[in-house]
Structure formats: C-alpha cells, structure tokens
Amino acid sequence: MTTIRREVLSLPAAPLGPDNPLPPLRPLDEAHRIDERDRAGLPRDMARQVDYEPLRSLLPVRVRDGYDRRREARQVDALVIENDRLRATVLPGLGGRIASLHHKPTDRELLYVNPVLQPANFALNGAWFSGGIEWNIGATGHTTLSCSPVHAARVPAPDGGEMLRLWEWERLRDLPFQVDLWLPEGSDFLHVGVRIRNPHERPVPTYWWSNIAVPEERRVLAPADEAYHFGYERRLRRVPVPSYGGADRTYPLNSTYAADYFYEVPDGRRRWIAALDEHGHGLAQTSTDVLRGRKLFVWGTGPGGRRWQEWLTEPGTGGYCEIQAGLARTQLEHVRLEAESEVSWLEAYGPLDAAPEGEWHAVLRGAEERLEAVLPRADVDAAYRAWQPYADAEPGETLATGSGWGALEVLRAGWKLPGTPFEENTLGDEQRPWLHLLRAGSLPEPGHHEPPGDTLVARPWRDMLETTAATPLAEYHLGVAQWHGDDRAQAVRSWERGLKTAAAGWPLLRCLAVADREDGHHERAADRYAEAFDDLCERPRERREETDVRVDDAERTAVAAALGREAIEALLAVGRTADARAVWDRLDPETRARGRFRLTEAELLAAEDRREAARAVFDEGFEVADLREGAESIGRLWARLDDEPLPARHDFRMRPDEG
C-alpha cells in the first residue's frame, strides 16, 4: 500500500542567504546560445523552435546570489512516497526535487544522491544544487524554482490510493504547472504525471526538461544513432552515436570536456533513456511520446569539469552525469503552447537490468526488450489515460506551501484552475503592495529607505502602473516593466521623472546607470553608479541622526553589496580606479571578506597596477560562491598577473582552449 509521510533530513548545507535586491535589468547571462553558423541545415521544426521567443530577461524574478560555501548540519523538510518496492524522497522547499529513489528489493539507490546541499550559480536566477531528479520549466537552463518552495498536497490516485501533487506558478512565462507522483500497487516504477497550462488568451512559449542525476560510472543508452552535440564553445553539430572522435561517448568518462548530447530518437520509437553500471544494473526513464527529447550531460574528465564536480559536493564523494527528457529535441528550443490550452504527459522511473556491453544495436535491443518486459509501452500509455481524469482532482491535506504569486495572478484574472488551487491565504509580504494596487489602485509607499521590492512586469500590471498616481515608487516600477517590454526610452523617462521627487534616489539612479551602460554611455553610467552609492550610504546615516529608528542593517548590507559590486565594475570599466576604491572602502567588512568581493579586490588592485598585492589575494585563497557556469573571469585575471598555469582550485574552464 502506498504511503505518503513527512520526514526531516539532516545534511551539511550552506544557507541560501538573501536574494539580490536589485532588479535584473541586464540581458540574461545564459551559455546555451547557438552559433549562427550552425542554424543552416537544422530540421525546419527545430530551427523554428530555436528562434521562438528565447528568454531575454529574468524579470520579474530576482537573482539568488546571497549564499556562501560555509556548510553546517541543517534540517531539510522532505516528503516520502513509498510502496513495498520503491521509496522516493521529495524536497518541497527546493523545487520539489526528488532527492532519492531507492529500490527496496535490491537495496539499490537509483539516483546520484548529493551528500551535501551546496548552492551554486547554475539556475537561470543563480542558486541551484546538484543531485536527484529536478523539474525544469520556464526557459533554457535550470529553473528559477530550483531553490524555492512549491505547493504540495495529497490527492486521490487512479488506482484508489493517493498521489503526491506538487504545483507552482512559473513566473518567467506566467504558467501554472503540476507534477503528480504515485506508485501503482506492486510497481517498481514511480509514475509521474506532468501538466503545464496556459490560461492566457495568447500563445506562450514553454519549456520542460526532467533532469536525472546518476553516478557517472555508467553507460547511457537511448534509442538513437545520432545526437546533437553542444559544448561550451557554443557549437551545435550532429554526431554519430555511440562513437565519434575515436571514443564511445555513451560512457560519460570518455569525454574530456563538459557537453550535451541530445539524442535524435526516431519518430514512432519508444521514448526512453537508461544508465547502467558495469553489472547491468541501473535506472530507466520512459514516457508517453509528448516528452520527445532525450539527453546526456557529462562534465568530462578535464580539470575544469572535475573541479566543478568537487565544487558541487565534496572531494571523494564520486561524480555524476545527467540523463534528461524534454518537450523538444534540444534545450535550445521553446515550444508554442496555444492560448487557453495545456500540455501533459506521463513519465516513469524505475530499475532496469540489462547487458550494457556489446554492439550498440544489440545492446539497445536487449535493453528495450527488458524494459518492455518490466514496463510495457502500452502500460505507460494506459497509465497516462487513467491519470488524466485525476489531474483535476482537488488536493486534500496540504503538505507544503509555495509562493503567493499564483494566488495574486488568479485574483487578478479570475482564472479557474481545477486541481491546482492558488489560495488567497498564501499571499505574503512580497505580494501585498501589488494586491493593494489591484484592489485600491495605488502602490503603498515602502518604509523609510526600504528597497522598492519586487516588480511585476506583465502587461496587465504595467497597465495598472500607467494609470496609478505617478509617485517615485510607481515610476520606478513602471520603468522596470517598460524596460522588460523593450520600451527603453519610456523606461528612462519614467525613472527620470521619479528621480525628481524621490526621497531616496539610489534605486532610480541605479536603473538609469544600467540603461546608460547598455546604450554605451559608460562615463555617464559610472557617474550615476557613484551617485547612487553615495545616496545609499548617506541617507541611512541622516535618518539615524533624525530619529531613533534603527535601519535594518542586514537589508542595507545586501543592497550595498549588490550596488557596490556593480558600481566598482562600472567605474573600473572607464578607468576610474580612485572612485572604485572609494566604493570598496565603504563596503561592510563582512561583505569585503566574501569570495566574490575578494576577486573584485584583486581586480581593483590589478587596475591600480598593484600586481603583487593582487597576486597575494590569490595566494591567500578565496572561493567565489556564485561563480557562473562557464565563467572564465578568474582565469583571465590570473593570466594578467602570472605566467604560471592557473591553479587547479581556480580552474573551472568547461571548454577547450581557443587556438
């Protein structure tokens, strides 16, 4: 009999820390962009979907970069669903990630289970962690919900038992989605029903990939003779499977550099992927045909890939690769979801025993026959049909609570979303100003010197901002929404209007500085950044002198760190090292001690032509907790300071050296 229960995990974990309080106005820093040379010759549907509304901005989502690498034992809430065959452990506070899938009869863990919880800069909005099965919705890359809570509840299952339902509102595309997990009686396979809905009166681009981490000492099988290879040099090319370049790439450790292999599964062929160890034991994932794509991601054996593996967990704990399943051939594509429609499918995860060695087609036949024996393709299709009437079933006992953004959107539009209620009681402080705008037609002023808070950028909210009273706060939010809508001239005008009467000018000055940098006005951008930082530093002091009200030091420190980092970068870009140093000197000592700011200090020292002092920062050691996937800034700075090879602890390169 299937049971669902609460559990608490204890594991070494680094705290997430505060979100970046500055709206992400600059273009998305996403490594997965195709080189223009590779567009010619793509299948027509693939070329169309590669060009279909790729994400340009993170708005309205905030960047999550407040974490560090100081791990200590912490309690993590979990939900466990199990029958007599399988036990799945789900983390509702961390995107609904399946952290573990344990096969009880053989006492085997089917996934790569990360022994630590270490955020790293891999999600679209920053914080992400490795291991388990993650649900990626939104746009190319790891979901912004990687480290965010989702709603969870018990729901009736098709076989009369119960399911675990996870659901949330995906904010990049403004789409609600759900993930239903259940274990049919006696099943060795976890069933997962997924549904994405588009309640809007217009088509919306959508994206989904289920990412499954497995130990890398595996052979990965998928029913394909070709794959699209995509590496961090951003070239997409069609390659044979299993071997090319003199090596069998279905063994993850046969690749030197990090790479994606998107398998070209023929139409009509069963959709599945598996990872088997040398003894033929492992995990298989299969689905109904809507989830058409299959992929292998490898870190490679090069020094950068190995360093990333250590960075995401602990040395000596073993590496992993990812097998994945998605809505399109590749993760470079987005799929059109028509107005007032939905897309849904069923996935199944469970153990597979098959011979991994031998001639490719013989190995595939053997594995596919074995999969058909333990979970027939017809049974997967039947399970999907049986689940569909239950997708609208109203949740029972609430097991976890997600964000209030879905509730706000439902209140605004009056949508009816059976099965995924976004209740008004989930609204919180983040949504409260926008609820006031919705009901009273105005934005309440924040407390003295508080940051402006989240901005909503969808057209209905922008329309409300355009008709509300033109306060500095409203002009700030309106400008952010206009900027997101690519109406940049209007955004600048809104920010300039707001600045004329703003009590605290730094939020508007910073927005104007970003606009200047994007338009190539680097000197003016530097001026505005310096003015914004001065304004931020002076006003809390004035306030403390005027009254006994204590400014929230933690909040102010987070703002100063984010604004100071951008200001120093802008000032150094135009050679104003003295002004950059003045900003640095006013940062909080704890901020300056963080790894990201130690790197900033080394860059500042190098700009001041103090090479030995900059080199000493490397000798003292630092860790940039939020180093971006594919980033090479540390290596470039090192090359300016020293002719020696980049130290291994700083080598995060994910592509071959050019030339």
Side-chain angles (χ1 to χ4, degrees), residues 336-358:
R336 180 184 175 99
L337 188 56
E338 297 296 341
E340 299 178 331
S341 70
E342 63 182 50
V343 60
S344 63
W345 62 91
L346 183 112
E347 304 180 47
Y349 297 82
L352 183 68
D353 294 309
E357 306 289 345

Side-chain angles (χ1 to χ4, degrees), residues 283-297:
L283 169 81
Q285 186 272 1
T286 187
S287 71
T288 48
D289 290 352
V290 167
L291 202 66
R292 65 168 297 176
R294 292 298 184 275
K295 171 193 161 182
L296 164 65
F297 168 75

Side-chain angles (χ1 to χ4, degrees), residues 243-316:
S243 298
Y244 88 94
D248 187 331
R249 307 295 174 166
T250 62
Y251 293 90
L253 293 175
N254 281 351
S255 291
T256 305
Y257 296 100
D260 300 327
Y261 295 91
F262 298 103
Y263 295 111
E264 184 69 280
V265 180
D267 291 342
R269 191 79 179 263
R270 183 175 186 176
R271 307 285 159 172
W272 64 276
I273 192 167
L276 305 178
D277 66 18
E278 59 181 338
H279 305 294
H281 307 311
L283 169 81
Q285 186 272 1
T286 187
S287 71
T288 48
D289 290 352
V290 167
L291 202 66
R292 65 168 297 176
R294 292 298 184 275
K295 171 193 161 182
L296 164 65
F297 168 75
V298 299
W299 283 106
T301 57
R306 305 328 292 171
R307 184 69 180 106
W308 274 117
Q309 292 264 31
E310 293 178 351
W311 188 255
L312 295 170
T313 179
E314 290 182 334

Side-chain angles (χ1 to χ4, degrees), residues 192-487:
V192 181
V194 182
R195 176 168 64 168
I196 305 171
R197 287 190 273 200
N198 176 15
H200 303 282
E201 296 178 348
R202 66 182 192 284
V204 175
T206 192
Y207 171 98
W208 183 280
W209 282 81
S210 302
N211 288 14
I212 309 133
V214 293
E216 64 184 351
E217 298 87 359
R218 298 288 186 269
R219 190 180 197 190
V220 173
L221 310 179
D225 293 325
E226 292 183 305
Y228 287 94
H229 171 277
F230 186 78
Y232 282 80
E233 62 273 25
R234 301 187 179 183
R235 296 303 306 273
L236 182 72
R237 58 183 182 271
R238 203 158 178 155
V239 300
V241 175
S243 298
Y244 88 94
D248 187 331
R249 307 295 174 166
T250 62
Y251 293 90
L253 293 175
N254 281 351
S255 291
T256 305
Y257 296 100
D260 300 327
Y261 295 91
F262 298 103
Y263 295 111
E264 184 69 280
V265 180
D267 291 342
R269 191 79 179 263
R270 183 175 186 176
R271 307 285 159 172
W272 64 276
I273 192 167
L276 305 178
D277 66 18
E278 59 181 338
H279 305 294
H281 307 311
L283 169 81
Q285 186 272 1
T286 187
S287 71
T288 48
D289 290 352
V290 167
L291 202 66
R292 65 168 297 176
R294 292 298 184 275
K295 171 193 161 182
L296 164 65
F297 168 75
V298 299
W299 283 106
T301 57
R306 305 328 292 171
R307 184 69 180 106
W308 274 117
Q309 292 264 31
E310 293 178 351
W311 188 255
L312 295 170
T313 179
E314 290 182 334
T317 55
Y320 75 97
C321 63
E322 288 180 355
I323 57 175
Q324 306 180 11
L327 282 175
R329 277 186 178 91
T330 73
Q331 290 171 335
L332 307 171
E333 304 165 67
H334 297 92
V335 176
R336 180 184 175 99
L337 188 56
E338 297 296 341
E340 299 178 331
S341 70
E342 63 182 50
V343 60
S344 63
W345 62 91
L346 183 112
E347 304 180 47
Y349 297 82
L352 183 68
D353 294 309
E357 306 289 345
E359 191 273 331
W360 179 242
H361 294 102
V363 169
L364 287 183
R365 279 195 303 273
E368 204 156 24
E369 288 170 1
R370 184 61 186 153
L371 179 60
E372 184 66 18
V374 296
L375 184 64
R377 183 179 186 179
D379 286 5
V380 174
D381 293 336
Y384 171 65
R385 292 191 296 271
W387 166 71
Q388 284 182 293
Y390 290 82
D392 283 347
E394 289 305 311
E397 179 192 0
T398 297
L399 299 172
T401 303
S403 78
W405 295 114
L408 185 66
E409 293 300 329
V410 167
L411 281 173
R412 178 190 62 77
W415 286 315
K416 304 298 181 185
L417 300 169
T420 55
F422 293 94
E423 304 288 357
E424 193 168 343
N425 62 12
T426 63
L427 293 166
D429 291 341
E430 294 170 309
Q431 294 82 38
R432 199 153 286 120
W434 299 96
L435 183 64
H436 194 274
L437 177 63
L438 181 65
R439 289 178 167 167
S442 64
L443 279 172
E445 286 298 313
H448 201 72
H449 298 301
E450 287 182 3
D454 290 80
T455 299
L456 294 179
V457 297
R459 189 73 219 197
W461 294 106
R462 176 176 165 178
D463 290 344
M464 282 184 251
L465 289 169
E466 287 176 341
T467 56
T468 192
T471 64
L473 180 66
E475 296 285 17
Y476 163 85
H477 285 300
L478 175 58
V480 175
Q482 290 166 332
W483 183 268
H484 175 265
D486 208 27
D487 196 351

Side-chain angles (χ1 to χ4, degrees), residues 572-589:
L572 289 180
V574 294
R576 290 166 56 174
T577 55
D579 291 335
R581 172 63 64 182
V583 172
W584 171 265
D585 289 341
R586 283 180 288 174
L587 291 173
D588 183 87

